[in-house]
Amino acid sequence: MASSHRKPRSAGSRIAGIWTPADGGNRSLGEVEQKIDDLYRRADSATEGQSSAKRTQKINSPRKKPSSFTATPHDHYDQAQLMSRLTARQKDAVAAHLTERSTTTGQRQEAAVGLQASDGTQSDPRTAKATVQRKLSTARALLSRLAARERQQEAAALARQAITFARAQVGKPYVWGAAGPGSYDCSGLTQAAWKAAGVTLPRITAAQADAGTTVPLADAQPGDLVFFHDDASHVGVYVGDGMMIHAPKPGAYVREESIHYDGTAIVHSVVRPA
């Protein structure tokens, strides 16, 4: 039995001419936008192909009537006899008619070749246009996914900056009304942390609870703000794995600990600032 030495397939698949790796796509936004621009141009070409097809149909339509010069052995003899009796002027007119027929046939053939070239592989311009439109739809969907992923990456980068700042404040004392740099209360710490990432938050805890997108606790990501108690009167910066950095209360210091730090704290909500 002959062994097969095929190259392994890549992790992705080609869908309607758009490369979509199994992990959701590793193409840049610029690459996909360039692909979409190219597909728009191809859509325009397909539209032109339809116009060319109509022109070809008009060229073909007069050919329905049989020509008086249809070639049969008997007709060749009759035409030879007729031509021998024609005057020179009449012969020129017949020659001109034959030349016009040849030119029309050439135009028809040229138009058919043009239609085949409109999409490289599609002879029917309507099919070519539909194919391009499907590719455009796929490219737009990919572009949307890439844009969403890029926004997520940007938000994650900002969150890392906020966490880095908050972690650098660990050990500093809680002071009510303080917003740094030497001491903090809970909302003063979260405000300063996100300010370090370029995001402005309100000063008051309850106002911070309305300053972003609320997400379920199960979906909390690093950098999110975790609010506690029925009145959202306490807040900390979530760092992942059920942990947060916060300024707990008077007499305590900024520290990193579980979101269930005192065993009785009730999570009010989780808010994503960016």
Side-chain angles (χ1 to χ4, degrees), residues 241-256:
D241 297 324
M243 303 292 287
M244 69 175 176
I245 299 172
H246 69 142
K249 58 186 177 180
Y253 297 87
V254 176
R255 61 195 183 202
E256 181 173 338

Side-chain angles (χ1 to χ4, degrees), residues 235-269:
V235 62
V237 179
Y238 189 69
V239 296
D241 297 324
M243 303 292 287
M244 69 175 176
I245 299 172
H246 69 142
K249 58 186 177 180
Y253 297 87
V254 176
R255 61 195 183 202
E256 181 173 338
E257 61 184 342
S258 169
I259 58 174
H260 305 295
Y261 62 100
D262 66 358
T264 59
I266 298 174
V267 175
H268 174 276
S269 59

Side-chain angles (χ1 to χ4, degrees), residues 63-85:
R63 314 277 21 112
K64 293 180 180 179
K65 294 182 179 180
S67 170
S68 59
F69 292 91
T70 302
T72 65
H74 181 71
D75 288 340
H76 275 304
Y77 175 80
D78 290 343
Q79 290 170 14
Q81 293 296 317
L82 176 62
M83 290 294 288
S84 68
R85 291 192 291 270

Side-chain angles (χ1 to χ4, degrees), residues 104-117:
T104 301
T105 301
Q107 289 175 341
R108 185 169 67 250
Q109 291 174 342
E110 181 180 356
V113 171
L115 289 180
Q116 275 192 321

